[in-house]
Amino acid sequence: MSDFPTTARVVIIGGGVVGTSTLYHLAKAGWKDCVLLEKNELTAGSTWHAAGNVPNFAGSWAIMNMQRYSAELYRTLGKDVDYPMNYHVTGSVRLAHTKERMQEFERVAGMGRYQGLQMDILTPDELKKYHPFMETHALAGGMWDPLDGDIDPAQLTQALAKGARDAGGHIERFCPIIGLDRDGDEWIVKTEKGDIRCEKVVNAAGYYAQRVGEMFKPFGGRTVPMVVMSHQYFLTEEIAEVAAWTKEKGHKLPIIRDVDVSYYLRQDKNGLNLGPYERNCKAHWVTPEDPMPQDFSFQLYPDDLERLEYYIEDAMERVPALGTAGIGRNINGPIPYAPDGLPMIGPMPGVKNAYECHSFTFGIAQGGGAGKVLSEWIMHGETELDMWAVDPRRYTDYTDHDHCLSKALETYGHEYAMHFPHHDWPAGRDKKLSPIDAKIRAQGGQMGAFNGWERANWFAKDGDDTSEESTQTWGREGPWKIRVQQEVEAVRDGVGVLDLPGFSRFKLNGEGAAEYLRTKIAGALPKAGRMTLGYFPDSRGRILTEMSIMRHGEDDFTLITAAIAQWHDFDVLNNDLPAGLSLTDHTTEYSTLIVTGLKAREAFEAMGTDADLASTWLSIQKATVAGTDCMLARVSFAGELGWEIHALNADIPALYDAVLAAGAQPFGMYALNSMRIEKGYRAWKGDLSTDYSLLEGGLERFVRLNKDQDFPGKAALQAEKQTGSKKMFVTLTVDAPYADAPYMSTIWNGDEVVGETTSGDWGFRINKSVALGVVNAELAEPGTELEVEIFGARCKAVVQPDQPLWDPENDRIRA
């Protein structure tokens, strides 16, 4: 007991690779007075063996970066900390059964090249060169990753632990947490060995993270959105052919990942290890009849091999040697799943000085990078790279148990699924509905979920194919295309209406509110009765977030931001809110209709209103429309004449009926995205992220470096302004015959990678494919010819002048 720490800077609840990696990174950075509490022996989760750097979620830049860093860390960790480790870099082949999967591989390989990773696209014949025991029937091809491999989980955990201890970190084993308390700004972590006072706490409790999360509820926490799934894999007895090949070659076979059938197959000693992700999967500890035990350490679920029969049979046809040996051992253990299958790493929603690092479905592969990311959050309050994809605040109040369970089953059963741009996963839906949801669907609305809110992506007509199968394509062609074009044309030539529930909406008021905002944004505030875009930088001048700031009086504001940004942006405003100011969230009380198009003014006249329809762009006013009180904002993300109608939920049905009666045509999110990209309007966490500074993001007109107030990143932006930005935001027109540029498509200049796209879409008003992106500054000159890599094909792209492609003088929006 004499060595038990009673104070600490940070307490990490939970061990395993993720917890020890976090302690390791903190200690190596000089944060020596940090403590990790491990409930039992220090070990890794019992169900994971593979580590690699190929992302299991196509297009997830954050996951790819974490896995790349993990692989780099593990290759030298044993030597760095003087601890023996078995890390076999075997490489892996991913198998494709379809053209669409090969296109995904081309995309992943392109993203890898941008990070300095070489991943080769293979024909079926070439696959045999990498894995001699594999049959290649029914394959379209594959992808080779030379850096994939497997590692001993226990050795990895102990190596990280040794490195952490050597650098000054403390690990307390056999020390379960029994409660939490607060004393002022200090946390009191209660354990069976005594209390520990600390500044910051981390929930890294693995599949027990939800149970630990309940302890934070008295301090503003919520139920952690996760479910524990059952994952099985089995190990064969020794296979003579494999043993002989290994002895001859002196190394192990590469991993096979059949992502279309949904399993991995790797060598284990001189046998094979098969791990499927079966569609008929199972969750545990989700009903009162199957409660989570108090302690499940070193235990397993009963074998359930019947669930795996299809996958076993397929794998034996792919690698016949698998069927020549008996099953040596079956492993059926718990694995945590967040609704989207991605981990939660970052600030704990609603709780200051508390963090989360859990729900890892690929804990070994991501653990090294996760420790780096979380230590950055703890030490600096921001991360080197944008990690929104794994931020716990991406989930808000819609993630009830039903949602989490249905999504976990869907995600596990489609672990390697392709995430097509026009496909919406059906499980866990209809959690937040617009006041006119039924009417939107009756009009043919094809819905998508935005922070749990259902919105129409496009409107189908009788006879249109609205099946899920129709969306299984990377291309822009589909039954939606003609309808989206018609919706855009209706806005361009007449007037359209978009039902937009779920805007994140905050009210900020109190004496000093204006001055407080001036210290948070890089630019200026609007006058009363006006609105503007406010850009909130981080300490490096990078784009933390964007909010529409509506000013009603000297110190009276409404701030509106993206639906998905609700909890993130509330934190941005609330983290250092001065005493005396009031900040409240009204997201669920109001909704919005966008009424926009060439004839929008005539539509309001037809509805009847006391509003000043001659009010200028970016003005706001209280008004009565069709006999209903509301607020009108003279703004349009579509880039046309228009207003946003903001009203209480109860008033939206009457307003919508009036807008339709005035001749407006419904349009959806696909049409809005097409129109906003023609105007060069940025989207949050695509074009607007902490990977770019405000100057690199082309937002200099929203920056006032000479204003009296200091704001985060001001010095960094002043320095960048003097030296010049190394990268610049550009709009590109792209000769893309098949598909528009996805997020993070590689931009080439000859044989050199010079940037990346941040979003892309087809512009129906200009009849061209458009991409927004960031390139080396010297290539941002209008007229510069570059290439954008889209699913392996390099497409000619031309840098456009720094102005909208549609209505470059903004005459239409100011009409």
Side-chain angles (χ1 to χ4, degrees), residues 269-284:
K269 298 180 181 178
N270 286 319
L272 293 173
N273 172 339
L274 176 66
Y277 293 91
E278 67 277 16
R279 293 287 172 88
N280 56 328
C281 51
K282 184 177 182 180
H284 273 286

Side-chain angles (χ1 to χ4, degrees), residues 481-502:
K481 184 182 177 183
I482 184 63
R483 303 304 174 211
V484 174
Q485 180 178 345
Q486 291 169 349
E487 292 168 23
V488 170
E489 290 171 349
V491 173
R492 181 193 66 190
D493 301 332
V495 58
V497 58
L498 172 64
D499 177 44
L500 200 67

Side-chain angles (χ1 to χ4, degrees), residues 287-350:
T287 65
E289 294 75 31
D290 181 27
M292 176 180 281
Q294 194 62 35
D295 188 353
F296 198 70
S297 303
F298 312 111
Q299 299 181 57
L300 295 170
Y301 303 130
D303 292 352
D304 192 8
L305 282 172
E306 289 185 4
R307 299 205 323 252
L308 309 185
E309 285 183 1
Y310 167 79
Y311 305 90
I312 295 171
E313 292 172 359
D314 188 274
M316 287 193 298
E317 290 183 8
R318 183 65 58 201
V319 180
L322 177 65
T324 64
I327 295 177
R329 187 185 180 199
N330 187 68
I331 309 293
N332 185 6
I335 179 171
Y337 261 72
D340 61 5
L342 296 179
M344 290 179 234
I345 313 170
M348 183 181 294

Side-chain angles (χ1 to χ4, degrees), residues 151-296:
I151 198 166
D152 185 291
Q155 290 178 345
L156 171 60
T157 308
Q158 294 296 338
L160 289 166
K162 182 178 186 298
R165 289 188 183 106
D166 290 347
H170 182 93
I171 297 175
E172 191 70 28
R173 296 185 301 159
F174 308 106
C175 188
I177 180 176
I178 58 176
L180 289 168
D181 205 349
R182 292 293 295 265
D183 183 7
D185 291 333
E186 283 189 326
W187 285 103
I188 302 172
V189 181
K190 298 178 178 296
T191 81
E192 293 180 353
K193 296 184 179 182
D195 295 350
I196 306 175
R197 287 179 172 265
C198 61
E199 300 173 21
K200 301 181 180 184
V201 181
V202 177
N203 180 358
Y207 54 77
Y208 278 102
Q210 190 175 82
R211 175 173 287 173
V212 171
E214 295 298 298
M215 300 179 187
F216 289 91
K217 278 190 170 180
F219 312 103
R222 88 295 188 218
T223 297
V224 172
M226 61 171 285
V227 165
V228 178
M229 297 293 296
S230 157
H231 177 63
Q232 294 187 89
Y233 65 88
F234 71 81
L235 310 173
T236 72
E237 296 172 341
E238 180 170 311
I239 300 173
E241 293 174 276
V242 173
W245 187 91
T246 304
K247 182 176 180 180
E248 176 189 350
K249 300 296 184 180
H251 59 80
K252 297 171 71 174
L253 289 163
I255 302 167
I256 294 175
R257 302 188 192 273
D258 194 324
V259 290
D260 286 317
V261 179
S262 192
Y263 63 80
Y264 61 85
L265 182 68
R266 74 171 187 86
Q267 184 175 342
D268 186 275
K269 298 180 181 178
N270 286 319
L272 293 173
N273 172 339
L274 176 66
Y277 293 91
E278 67 277 16
R279 293 287 172 88
N280 56 328
C281 51
K282 184 177 182 180
H284 273 286
W285 309 330
V286 293
T287 65
E289 294 75 31
D290 181 27
M292 176 180 281
Q294 194 62 35
D295 188 353
F296 198 70

Side-chain angles (χ1 to χ4, degrees), residues 539-541 693 695 703 705 711 713-726:
S539 70
R540 303 159 297 180
S693 75
L695 300 183
V703 178
L705 292 175
F711 58 85
K714 184 176 183 179
L717 290 170
Q718 287 172 330
E720 183 183 341
K721 179 67 175 176
Q722 290 180 343
T723 60
S725 302
K726 295 180 180 180

Side-chain angles (χ1 to χ4, degrees), residues 430-443 447 452-456 498-503 505 586-594 628 645-657 660:
D430 295 348
K431 292 300 177 181
K432 293 183 176 181
L433 302 180
S434 160
I436 52 173
D437 180 80
K439 177 163 288 189
I440 296 297
R441 295 178 195 244
Q443 291 172 318
M447 312 304 285
W453 291 94
E454 296 290 329
R455 296 175 181 169
L498 172 64
D499 177 44
L500 200 67
F503 258 148
R505 188 183 309 263
H586 299 266
T587 300
T588 60
E589 299 171 29
Y590 293 84
S591 194
T592 303
L593 300 176
I594 295 180
T628 303
I645 303 177
H646 299 268
L648 290 167
N649 286 328
D651 293 328
I652 290 294
L655 286 165
Y656 189 69
D657 286 344
L660 293 179

